[in-house]
Amino acid sequence: MLAAIQPEKWAEIDESELTIAERCVYRTRRRALELYLKGGTAREILCVTGLSRIAVTRLWERCCETDPDTGESRGFKALVPRSKMKRFVR
């Protein structure tokens, strides 16, 4: 739970494994999240990243979700496009 409060403790993503398109989306999302955490205004976040404040809030919530396997927050992994957040269970 402590990692959810301290994003600087989240594991970094190896961007070399991402495609160029995925890397661009990831960096935009991360920049928006950083602005959000620093107290950036909704207008500033929208102008810099093109993401609304609501979208950034949802990204923050995804990052803070707990991984059921490890018990840790998902962190920056949640910002990667098409990253699976939940296991498929039948």
Side-chain angles (χ1 to χ4, degrees):
M1 192 71 166
L2 186 61
I5 300 169
Q6 299 177 349
E8 61 274 3
K9 302 244 183 204
W10 290 344
E12 292 293 324
I13 300 297
D14 183 10
E15 293 184 26
S16 65
E17 296 177 2
L18 303 175
T19 66
I20 293 173
E22 289 172 337
R23 194 174 306 148
C24 289
V25 171
Y26 169 75
R27 288 180 180 171
T28 300
R29 290 176 176 177
R30 181 157 177 169
R31 179 71 178 135
L33 193 62
E34 289 169 352
L35 288 170
Y36 175 74
L37 295 175
K38 289 181 181 176
T41 64
R43 181 177 296 255
E44 178 185 8
I45 294 170
L46 184 63
C47 289
V48 172
T49 64
L51 295 174
S52 69
R53 183 77 177 225
I54 294 169
V56 177
T57 303
R58 287 185 188 136
L59 288 173
W60 172 249
E61 290 170 357
R62 282 184 75 188
C63 289
C64 292
E65 284 179 0
T66 306
D67 186 352
D69 295 333
T70 63
E72 297 177 358
S73 62
R74 297 199 186 267
F76 295 124
K77 292 182 277 187
L79 302 178
V80 176
R82 295 186 308 276
S83 62
K84 293 186 179 185
M85 300 305 295
K86 296 180 182 176
R87 283 186 177 187
F88 178 74
V89 179
R90 257 188 203 214

